[in-house]
Amino acid sequence: MDQLTIVFWNWWVLALGLLVIELLVPGFFFLWMAASGFVTGCLLLLIPVIGTDLQVLIFSVLSVAAITVWKLYGKKHPIATDHPLLNKRGAQYIGRVFSLYKPIENGEGTIKVDDSIWKVHGEDCDISTKVKVVAIRGTVFDVEKAK
């Protein structure tokens, strides 16, 4: 049986395919795999005697290394945004004052925020009390009496 022969342009086609996937599924994951495929193809163009097993190893090592370096870079240099709490709905309410929807009894009650009802934990108080959200634990607000 003949062994599979891969030529340099096969890696470039793979890199192009991975770039197309990156366009459809953003996240910079497939971008680094595409770059690894391109580099592997370039190495094969320069050194055409590299075996298939070594080519796959080079591609794999380059892909893992590039993705790891990107993840570490992303942690050290987070993307600055003018809406840091955009996808953290509950965190947007910390510091705001609300009227109780149901009184806090035995440490639990509810508040109405826009069109949603949220559970709250805090000091017992009647329904006429205004409370300030001081923290969030999952889907429950920690509140204290507003001053």
Side-chain angles (χ1 to χ4, degrees):
M1 183 172 209
D2 293 329
Q3 186 178 6
L4 177 66
T5 304
I6 299 177
V7 292
F8 70 92
W9 60 266
N10 294 124
W11 287 106
W12 292 352
V13 169
L14 175 67
L16 184 63
L18 290 168
L19 282 176
V20 169
I21 293 172
E22 179 64 37
L23 290 173
L24 299 173
V25 184
F28 292 109
F29 182 80
F30 292 102
L31 174 70
W32 302 114
M33 291 178 68
S36 300
F38 179 75
V39 169
T40 303
C42 289
L43 283 173
L44 188 58
L45 179 63
L46 296 173
I47 310 168
V49 294
I50 299 174
T52 304
D53 294 342
L54 187 56
Q55 292 174 43
V56 172
L57 179 66
I58 291 169
F59 172 73
S60 301
V61 169
L62 286 175
S63 293
V64 170
I67 292 167
T68 302
V69 168
W70 173 251
K71 292 288 184 185
L72 292 173
Y73 177 82
K75 284 184 180 179
K76 284 187 176 184
H77 300 80
I79 298 171
T81 176
D82 57 344
H83 298 292
L85 301 176
L86 181 63
N87 292 321
K88 298 177 183 175
R89 184 174 175 208
Q92 295 175 9
Y93 300 126
I94 294 176
R96 290 183 53 190
V97 176
F98 298 98
S99 298
L100 288 172
Y101 187 70
K102 289 185 182 172
I104 300 176
E105 297 171 346
N106 297 323
E108 294 185 5
T110 59
I111 59 174
K112 186 169 186 175
V113 180
D114 300 325
D115 61 347
S116 302
I117 306 293
W118 292 78
K119 279 181 134 182
V120 295
H121 283 189
E123 180 183 333
D124 287 359
C125 32
D126 62 14
I127 199 160
S128 64
T129 307
K130 299 262 188 197
V131 293
K132 179 179 180 182
V133 178
V134 293
I136 182 168
R137 289 181 287 130
T139 58
V140 178
F141 291 142
D142 288 334
V143 297
E144 63 184 26
K145 288 182 182 179
K147 297 176 178 154

